[in-house]
Amino acid sequence: MPNVAVIFILLFSSLAYAAAPMLFMGAFFPAWLAAMIIALPMTLLLVAALARLNLVRYLQPRGLIYLAFYAITCALVWLVALT
């Protein structure tokens, strides 16, 4: 069984690299979480637009492509709106 202290250090050491939190309704809220929440409906709109244009059939494997769309959208939201 892995050492609990090692797992704790590995999990929480990445928090030092997180962006500064933003203020949301009087409480600190991490900007990366806001970017993830905002990017989800944007990604769904992108996929719906591609489906309407009949381009979904060219996206293979779909699960991986949709995950890549979500990651790119998260990064763009974070860079454009939250920095």
Side-chain angles (χ1 to χ4, degrees):
M1 183 163 178
N3 190 356
V4 176
V6 173
I7 293 173
F8 182 78
I9 290 170
L10 290 175
L11 286 176
F12 292 105
S13 65
S14 64
L15 294 178
Y17 303 108
M22 62 183 202
L23 200 57
F24 178 73
M25 296 180 64
F28 285 107
F29 193 74
W32 59 267
L33 187 59
M36 290 178 68
I37 292 169
I38 295 168
L40 185 61
M42 292 177 69
T43 304
L44 294 175
L45 287 173
L46 175 64
V47 170
L50 291 174
R52 188 160 175 86
L53 295 171
N54 287 332
L55 296 175
V56 176
R57 61 181 172 202
Y58 299 114
L59 304 176
Q60 297 294 331
R62 287 188 186 161
L64 188 61
I65 298 294
Y66 294 163
L67 187 62
F69 283 162
Y70 181 64
I72 291 169
T73 309
C74 282
L76 288 175
V77 166
W78 192 357
L79 287 174
V80 173
L82 300 176
T83 56

